[in-house]
Amino acid sequence: MDWGTDLWDQYDVIDKHSQSGLDLVERYIKFVKERTEIEQSYAKQLRSLTKKYAKRGSKEEQDCKFSNHASFQEILNELNDYAGQRELIAENMMTGICVELTKYLQELKQERKTHLSDAKKAQQTLESSFKHLESTKKRFAKEWAEADKATQQAEKTESDLNATRLDVEKAKQHAHARTHTAEECRNDYAAQLQKYNKEQNLFYYSEIPQIFNKLQDMDERRVRRLAEGYCQFSDIEKKVLPIISKCLEGISGAGAKINEKQDSILFIEQHKSGFERPGDVEFEDYSQGIKPATSDSSLNPPKVRAKLWPFSKKHKPPAAEDFSHLPPEQRKKRLQAKIDDITKELQKTQDQSDALEKMKGVYEQNPQMGDPSSLEPQITETAQNIGRLRGELAKYETWLSEAVGGEESSNTINNNTQHGVVAADQSNIYTEFDDEFDDIESPIGQCTALYTFQGNSEGTISITEGELLSIMEEDKGDGWMRVLRASGEEGYIPSSYVKLTP
């Protein structure tokens, strides 16, 4: 079955149907374009989201040592890669479907226009031939009527007794002439009719069927190409599914890698102070008339017990080079890390010195290769660096030995202080605490409580969500900061429970 045979008389229907097919292609192109815009917007929002939640800064880098923090960073990275695949889908859809189909649609429009134009020309030719046939037919009818009239007039004249022979002859000649003209018109009409029938047969059985079949072939090609475009809509996304699956697997893998016990151990290692827990406060019997040397300080024990974090000093000078401002455990770790760094740098410098010495030896044996004296400045500088590094290494190793050897005595002193034992130099310890808490200090900033915190431990205070606080001491790396409430109550709270106020 084909259009030329079965739809030979449905020109208008074929015209509308072929136009409807082109309109569908155009609608599909527009649909895919809007899909690509959605994909691009989605990818852009995903990238913004990952950028927003990505960790930045030294504190965040330190948090990334924990598996749960590191896994979240991996999830953000995988999501960023996932966004890239959505962008790839949009790009491939635009180039593989929209651009190609738009080009193909223009070709189809031009082809359809050509076929319809050919059909109209053939129709116009047939209509022109039919008009000529009608004109010839009318002329034949007219001439035949005139000839018949002339013949009747000749017969009437011949039967008229009053008519002369000349009149009769003249009437017969006129009738004969009219009949001859009518015969010629009849022959023209017959010839034109034969020609028209031939053209009509050619039009309906050859020209129009061929044109309609070409339009049918064009429409079927359009349908097939559109079907391929439909499949592309899915195939383009299927091609990136393996990568998307890897991104999703990476997210699942990041969650599976979390080790809560290891995170707890790492947190302990990072913040373990090495101090002993404070002992019981001893009873001071004032009824016996015995007063400590620094009675004012002894009567205010909370000032001493508030120092739950002896290494967190407010308005403390810059960090000491020997890390003595840190708790024992943290100090040992920092000193050991510093020693490792200096050792690596010393080895690197030593290797550089050895290389320079070898090069100098080569130059001395082969002067044409270079001047040995040109290496002297570098050799001298390297030797100085080696000396400096060895001195620093010895210094830090001494401090590490002191930290390891003096840890026990340091803990003992700390316990004695918490117990309130009055020793020869204990007055200095209490005086230090008194000076620290009695100094008039100004807030260094403002913050707002994000959550409610119940300060149940010594030295901590309770805060409520939304409360405005004054910052008296910043977080020194232990996760705590000292604040002042509007009521005048002062103490430590977790740094993560507040948000800095500009």
Side-chain angles (χ1 to χ4, degrees):
M1 299 178 67
D2 55 62
W3 292 6
T5 302
D6 300 299
L7 301 177
W8 62 270
D9 58 344
Q10 300 296 324
Y11 173 86
D12 291 339
V13 173
I14 292 175
D15 183 5
K16 292 180 180 179
H17 178 75
S18 58
Q19 181 60 49
S20 174
L22 298 182
D23 291 342
L24 178 60
V25 175
E26 199 161 5
R27 283 182 61 205
Y28 181 63
I29 293 172
K30 185 178 179 181
F31 162 74
V32 176
K33 282 183 178 178
E34 292 189 12
R35 162 71 189 276
T36 59
E37 291 173 359
I38 292 173
E39 290 288 355
Q40 290 170 344
S41 176
Y42 178 46
K44 183 178 179 181
Q45 291 180 33
L46 286 179
R47 290 194 183 279
S48 298
L49 182 66
T50 56
K51 185 178 180 181
K52 177 181 178 181
Y53 284 90
K55 293 276 189 177
R56 293 184 298 273
S58 58
K59 187 177 185 301
E60 286 79 3
E61 291 173 0
Q62 183 178 3
D63 286 341
C64 283
K65 294 178 182 179
F66 298 104
S67 64
N68 57 103
H69 287 264
S71 292
F72 183 56
Q73 291 303 307
E74 288 186 28
I75 290 174
L76 294 178
N77 293 336
E78 294 292 351
L79 191 60
N80 194 59
D81 294 341
Y82 177 86
Q85 296 309 309
R86 305 316 305 188
E87 290 174 339
L88 184 61
I89 289 174
E91 181 181 351
N92 290 342
M93 282 188 174
M94 180 60 72
T95 57
I97 297 179
C98 297
V99 175
E100 292 299 324
L101 271 185
T102 300
K103 181 180 178 182
Y104 185 67
L105 178 62
Q106 297 304 319
E107 295 174 356
L108 289 181
K109 286 182 177 180
Q110 185 59 42
E111 183 179 353
R112 175 179 176 275
K113 182 179 179 181
T114 301
H115 293 327
L116 294 180
S117 177
D118 291 343
K120 285 184 178 179
K121 286 180 181 179
Q123 179 71 27
Q124 290 172 357
T125 301
L126 184 63
E127 289 176 355
S128 177
S129 179
F130 181 75
K131 288 180 180 179
H132 188 57
L133 174 65
E134 287 292 314
S135 176
T136 305
K137 179 181 177 182
K138 288 179 180 179
R139 184 184 174 193
F140 166 61
K142 179 181 177 182
E143 291 296 334
W144 186 255
E146 291 292 334
D148 186 56
K149 183 179 179 181
T151 301
Q152 290 179 2
Q153 184 65 35
E155 290 177 355
K156 183 179 179 182
T157 303
E158 186 178 3
S159 62
D160 188 1
L161 297 175
N162 297 323
T164 64
R165 185 179 181 131
L166 181 61
D167 292 335
V168 173
E169 191 65 29
K170 187 176 181 181
K172 286 183 178 181
Q173 288 180 356
H174 178 69
H176 180 73
R178 282 292 180 180
T179 302
H180 180 73
T181 302
E183 285 293 333
E184 288 181 349
C185 289
R186 182 176 181 277
N187 292 335
D188 288 344
Y189 171 62
Q192 186 62 36
L193 180 62
Q194 184 179 9
K195 178 184 177 185
Y196 174 77
N197 287 333
K198 183 179 180 180
E199 290 178 351
Q200 181 178 252
N201 185 275
L202 179 66
F203 177 80
Y204 286 113
Y205 288 91
S206 180
E207 290 181 331
I208 285 298
Q210 288 179 5
I211 292 173
F212 283 4
N213 286 341
K214 288 179 180 178
L215 284 169
Q216 179 183 359
D217 177 68
M218 181 203 75
D219 192 68
E220 290 176 355
R221 283 187 282 111
R222 173 196 64 79
V223 172
R224 174 48 44 200
R225 182 63 184 85
L226 188 58
E228 293 174 359
Y230 290 167
C231 294
Q232 279 183 288
F233 189 78
S234 171
D235 294 340
I236 287 174
E237 187 161 356
K238 285 181 180 178
K239 288 181 180 179
V240 301
L241 279 182
I243 302 177
I244 290 178
S245 297
K246 287 184 178 179
C247 293
L248 298 177
E249 289 172 3
I251 292 175
S252 298
K257 286 194 300 186
I258 294 177
N259 187 327
E260 62 276 10
K261 294 297 183 182
Q262 189 62 37
D263 283 0
S264 293
I265 294 173
L266 178 59
F267 180 69
I268 292 171
E269 291 296 326
Q270 284 185 352
H271 300 288
K272 182 179 178 182
S273 67
F275 290 130
E276 292 291 336
R277 292 182 178 86
D280 295 336
V281 177
E282 294 184 1
F283 177 75
E284 298 184 29
D285 191 357
Y286 289 96
S287 62
Q288 302 300 322
I290 301 174
K291 295 183 179 181
T294 54
S295 59
D296 291 341
S297 298
S298 300
L299 290 175
N300 197 14
K303 292 184 179 180
V304 178
R305 292 188 59 81
K307 290 299 292 179
L308 294 180
W309 303 274
F311 48 89
S312 298
K313 303 288 185 179
K314 61 185 179 61
H315 300 303
K316 189 169 62 174
E321 186 181 6
D322 62 352
F323 303 112
S324 58
H325 62 290
L326 296 175
E329 287 292 331
Q330 301 302 323
R331 183 189 182 197
K332 286 191 294 182
K333 289 181 181 179
R334 294 293 293 274
L335 288 171
Q336 186 60 55
K338 189 70 176 179
I339 289 173
D340 293 341
D341 292 342
I342 295 175
T343 302
K344 290 179 182 178
E345 187 177 357
L346 180 60
Q347 183 61 44
K348 182 179 178 181
T349 309
Q350 187 64 53
D351 293 342
Q352 183 180 0
S353 176
D354 294 343
L356 289 171
E357 290 293 341
K358 289 181 181 179
M359 188 179 296
K360 180 180 179 182
V362 172
Y363 286 178
E364 289 175 349
Q365 295 178 6
N366 302 282
Q368 68 275 11
M369 296 182 65
D371 184 9
S373 60
S374 64
L375 300 175
E376 287 298 332
Q378 297 181 47
I379 293 175
T380 302
E381 182 181 358
T382 305
Q384 292 175 351
N385 289 337
I386 291 175
R388 175 181 57 81
L389 291 172
R390 285 176 176 170
E392 289 186 3
L393 181 61
K395 179 174 61 176
Y396 280 99
E397 287 177 343
T398 302
W399 286 338
L400 179 60
S401 299
E402 293 175 355
V404 173
E407 181 178 358
E408 182 178 354
S409 61
S410 175
N411 291 334
T412 303
I413 294 174
N414 182 65
N415 284 333
N416 290 340
T417 303
Q418 296 297 334
H419 289 166
V421 176
V422 182
D425 59 342
Q426 186 177 355
S427 59
N428 294 332
I429 298 175
Y430 280 101
T431 303
E432 178 187 349
F433 285 123
D434 285 339
D435 291 343
E436 183 174 348
F437 278 88
D438 291 342
D439 286 343
I440 299 175
E441 53 182 320
S442 301
I444 60 176
Q446 300 289 327
C447 62
T448 303
L450 297 174
Y451 317 102
T452 298
F453 172 71
Q454 299 295 333
N456 298 325
S457 303
E458 287 288 341
T460 63
I461 60 172
S462 299
I463 59 174
T464 57
E465 181 180 349
E467 182 178 0
L468 183 63
L469 307 165
S470 299
I471 302 174
M472 307 305 291
E473 181 181 338
E474 294 180 340
D475 184 353
K476 300 301 182 180
D478 57 355
W480 296 83
M481 63 191 305
R482 189 161 58 85
V483 299
L484 176 66
R485 302 183 68 183
S487 62
E489 188 178 4
E490 184 177 344
Y492 288 89
I493 61 169
S495 304
S496 59
Y497 275 56
V498 297
K499 176 182 178 183
L500 297 182
T501 302

